[in-house]
Amino acid sequence: NKNPGSQTAPRLLSIQERAKLKQLQHLLSHGDTVDMAALRKIGVQTGFIIKEVRSQAWTKLFSVNPWTDGEAYRALALKDQVPLSPESEQIRRDVCRSFRSTKGPQKNNYTAQLWRVLNYTLVEYPQLCYLQGLHDVASIVLVVCGEVPGQQVFGKILNSYIRKFLAQTVTPLMEVLVLIAPLVTNEDPELADHIEGIFPQCHFALSWILTLYTHELDCDMDQACRVLDFLFCSHPMMSLYLAAAIILLDRETLLQMGGEFTELHAHLQHLPERLTPRQWEAAIAKAVQLFDAHAPKKICKQARVVHDLRSPFFNYPYPWAVPAVQPTDNWLQAKACSQLMLIKGKKANGSTKKTTNQQQTTSPQQKSAKSTCTTLVRRKNTSLTQNGNKTVRKPKKPAVDMSASDLFMLFSVCTISAAIATLSVVAFEPTFRHAWKN
């Protein structure tokens, strides 16, 4: 598929891709308890391969429920009453340039959906400014996820990966582009000296970063989706590392060129369009290597850029992207630990106070409850390791501290539950006897 919305025969998958696809389908079949770390790892390594799996993966990555989220937008879209953004005129021009290879009713359908998504999202987030090129990102998200889930995902993208750039001017974007130069300099000083005429501003990469490379790949849907898979599973600054990787991999060509600004700028500006899928995979691998070798904070310090943790461009992972916690099989462990964490939180807020002069007496029943709960916590905070033919429990650091009041509350809950069970048996005893005689 070489363009969003166009209909072409799907490519044949390799054996490795089919194996990875099976792994992805198994991973996404766990509902709300998807292993997000494993999902991001696959997104970086190979991408999500096909549209159906990619749609599920993107909604999971951005914590969007395609069945329940976006009800307000759905109601307005069905009536075609989506409010217009103050940027609607520029949006109209950009929408007319979208889906160029799609013809007939399908193009009209996609352009109408794109028009609604862009206007509604800009109205929903009035603090964001529309910049030319955002329609490239929105059109791919729309085709992959559908209109309503796509609008929700697109809103998350605007408020995270490219939030810093959506200002009245391109100044915030230009401040970020200077981070590309130190990455190239640290890896290849000779190349950096040869192309120093385009440093440190790197104007050629403006649309790369703003549109997450979708503007350069607007005629290659498959490759654009592969790049977005990688970026959505990575730190927001990874788009800068990818830009540096693309420059470094074009080393031989750049060294043969002159050092004039015009020549270098014209060559680099369209460089992503000329990369083959194999070269893109090499660039992604190189970007990961650069990220591991040069942390974002280090690069910001080297380029004298403020590493503001309040900015979505530096604050990662996002709150809605925290990996899901797998539910425990033991309901008693879950109940006890949640109750203890609630009590601990109240103490931290000052809602419960202890005095040093107050002493508590512990009854035999409370001692028994303390022993039971201590065993429960120890059992939860240990993991099994194989040592020869023996199974040894490896202790971990306790997650919570057990106090006398905590144990008393837990004992009270257990006592009440036991009493209710006893009364139930007594109440239904005649019924049981009658059934036994019959």
Side-chain angles (χ1 to χ4, degrees):
N1 192 353
K2 294 298 180 183
N3 191 273
S6 62
Q7 291 182 340
T8 57
R11 63 184 179 86
L12 295 177
L13 301 179
S14 64
I15 296 177
Q16 293 80 2
E17 287 177 324
R18 278 181 281 178
K20 191 64 69 173
L21 184 61
K22 187 176 181 180
Q23 182 181 353
L24 274 168
Q25 291 171 336
H26 175 72
L27 191 64
L28 292 169
S29 65
H30 287 80
D32 295 333
T33 57
V34 174
D35 187 345
M36 300 301 291
L39 186 64
R40 293 191 188 98
K41 184 178 180 180
I42 295 177
V44 169
Q45 292 177 344
T46 62
F48 301 123
I49 306 174
I50 63 175
K51 175 184 173 182
E52 291 75 14
V53 174
R54 180 172 287 118
S55 175
Q56 296 180 56
W58 284 8
T59 53
K60 289 295 182 184
L61 288 170
F62 288 97
S63 189
V64 171
N65 188 324
W67 308 108
T68 59
D69 293 348
E71 289 301 321
Y73 173 79
R74 191 192 307 273
L76 293 173
L78 288 174
K79 300 177 182 178
D80 199 16
Q81 296 178 352
V82 172
L84 295 182
S85 163
E87 317 283 347
S88 59
E89 185 58 31
Q90 180 61 51
I91 292 175
R92 183 187 63 79
R93 290 194 289 266
D94 286 347
V95 167
C96 292
R97 291 192 289 265
S98 304
F99 307 107
R100 289 175 295 178
S101 66
T102 308
K103 306 296 181 182
Q106 187 184 32
K107 179 175 182 177
N108 297 334
N109 186 33
Y110 274 131
T111 52
Q113 292 179 13
L114 182 60
W115 166 261
R116 291 193 292 263
V117 166
L118 290 172
N119 275 284
Y120 183 87
T121 306
L122 269 296
V123 171
E124 185 179 15
Y125 303 105
Q127 72 276 17
L128 305 180
C129 295
Y130 180 83
L131 295 181
Q132 187 176 356
L134 291 182
H135 68 287
D136 292 314
V137 182
S139 61
I140 293 179
V141 174
L142 173 64
V143 172
V144 171
C145 300
E147 183 177 1
V148 179
Q151 188 277 325
Q152 297 293 303
V153 171
F154 182 62
K156 292 284 185 72
I157 295 171
L158 293 190
N159 282 281
S160 54
Y161 286 89
I162 53 181
R163 170 67 181 87
K164 183 176 177 64
F165 315 136
L166 303 182
Q168 295 287 349
T169 65
V170 296
T171 303
L173 178 56
M174 301 308 299
E175 292 175 350
V176 169
L177 291 179
V178 300
L179 298 174
I180 299 175
L183 287 170
V184 177
T185 303
N186 292 342
E187 285 292 306
D188 195 335
E190 181 185 358
L191 177 61
D193 290 339
H194 183 72
I195 60 176
E196 64 179 354
I198 61 171
F199 285 159
Q201 288 78 16
C202 298
H203 296 92
F204 62 88
L206 190 147
S207 67
W208 300 8
I209 308 304
L210 175 61
T211 68
L212 302 177
Y213 299 87
T214 56
H215 180 70
E216 284 66 33
L217 297 171
D218 63 340
C219 292
D220 193 342
M221 174 72 167
D222 290 335
Q223 193 58 63
C225 287
R226 171 67 184 104
V227 174
L228 289 180
D229 289 342
F230 168 63
L231 295 178
F232 291 163
C233 295
S234 307
H235 192 282
M237 285 183 62
M238 188 60 80
S239 57
L240 300 173
Y241 287 83
L242 184 58
I246 292 173
I247 296 172
L248 290 168
L249 292 177
D250 198 46
R251 182 180 193 275
E252 300 299 328
T253 304
L254 291 172
L255 289 177
Q256 293 174 5
M257 299 175 63
E260 297 181 0
F261 173 82
T262 306
E263 183 182 12
L264 290 171
H265 181 84
H267 173 75
L268 289 171
Q269 187 175 18
H270 301 285
L271 182 56
E273 304 171 19
R274 298 190 293 268
L275 296 182
T276 64
R278 187 181 297 271
Q279 290 172 326
W280 270 110
E281 292 302 324
I284 289 174
K286 183 65 176 178
V288 174
Q289 177 188 341
L290 290 174
F291 189 86
D292 293 338
H294 310 287
K297 188 175 293 187
K298 172 187 173 182
I299 297 301
C300 291
K301 184 177 181 180
Q302 187 175 349
R304 297 180 180 179
V305 173
V306 178
H307 189 273
D308 186 6
L309 291 178
R310 295 171 297 177
S311 170
F313 196 66
F314 300 106
N315 185 15
Y316 184 82
Y318 303 115
W320 39 263
V322 175
V325 178
Q326 298 290 341
T328 177
D329 293 331
N330 192 324
W331 68 270
L332 185 57
Q333 291 182 8
K335 187 172 183 178
C337 291
S338 62
Q339 186 69 32
L340 292 176
M341 292 303 293
L342 178 63
I343 296 172
K344 197 171 183 180
K346 288 182 178 179
K347 290 181 179 178
N349 293 331
S351 60
T352 57
K353 299 180 181 179
K354 283 189 176 181
T355 58
T356 56
N357 297 329
Q358 183 179 4
Q359 295 180 351
Q360 295 183 348
T361 59
T362 306
S363 64
Q365 292 83 356
Q366 290 175 336
K367 290 182 179 179
S368 176
K370 180 177 180 180
S371 176
T372 303
C373 194
T374 303
T375 304
L376 182 65
V377 173
R378 285 178 180 173
R379 188 174 301 166
K380 182 181 178 183
N381 293 321
T382 58
S383 60
L384 296 179
T385 58
Q386 295 296 330
N387 184 9
N389 296 327
K390 298 181 179 180
T391 302
V392 183
R393 288 190 177 273
K394 181 180 178 182
K396 294 182 180 179
K397 185 177 179 180
V400 294
D401 296 329
M402 303 290 291
S403 63
S405 60
D406 300 339
L407 294 171
F408 180 76
M409 180 169 291
L410 180 61
F411 174 75
S412 301
V413 172
C414 295
T415 303
I416 293 172
S417 300
I420 293 174
T422 303
L423 290 174
S424 301
V425 172
V426 172
F428 287 99
E429 183 180 2
T431 305
F432 294 153
R433 289 182 176 177
H434 180 71
W436 178 259
K437 290 180 179 180
N438 295 336

